[in-house]
Amino acid sequence: MPIYEYNAISDGCGYCRRGFEVLQKIGEDPLDRCPKCRGLVRRVPSPFRACVAETPEEAAKIESKIRDYEQEGMWSHAAETADKAGLDERAREDYKKAGYDM
Ligand SMILES: [Zn+2]
């Protein structure tokens, strides 16, 4: 399950001004409000996700790995790989094919 990072758009409180992280299911709607002060927040790309595939080579490697899994019908493996790489849409589709109800 990916961790999403949020920070405040408006003034916010100490919690969201500093930025906070939320563990969310794939396909879950992003938060638009701080759970503490209800101030507006936005999702920021997390450093973890950014470093998963920093180079085009790495991204291509991940992509071909997912494709291999998909071709063999190993949907949960494909989904997990996509999930870790931050490919939400792809992960969601593969999770569905794996029989998970997301
Ligand atoms: Zn807040």
Side-chain angles (χ1 to χ4, degrees), residues 21-99:
E21 290 181 339
V22 185
L23 196 64
Q24 285 187 292
K25 262 195 238 160
I26 301 264
E28 207 170 293
D29 286 337
L31 302 180
D32 58 0
R33 290 187 182 274
C34 168
K36 302 212 186 261
C37 70
R38 315 300 299 165
L40 288 173
V41 295
R42 64 160 176 207
R43 199 159 90 179
V44 292
S46 87
F48 165 74
R49 292 167 145 253
C51 75
V52 170
E54 247 174 6
T55 63
E57 289 81 10
E58 233 173 307
K61 224 193 278 175
I62 290 168
E63 171 66 32
S64 84
K65 201 165 150 194
I66 296 171
R67 227 175 8 231
D68 284 351
Y69 283 139
E70 285 174 347
Q71 271 163 9
E72 289 170 40
M74 298 164 75
W75 303 114
S76 59
H77 282 74
E80 236 168 81
T81 308
D83 192 349
K84 279 185 199 139
L87 303 167
D88 290 5
E89 279 295 317
R90 190 69 166 273
R92 190 159 37 196
E93 275 171 35
D94 288 334
Y95 273 127
K96 245 186 237 161
K97 287 173 186 156

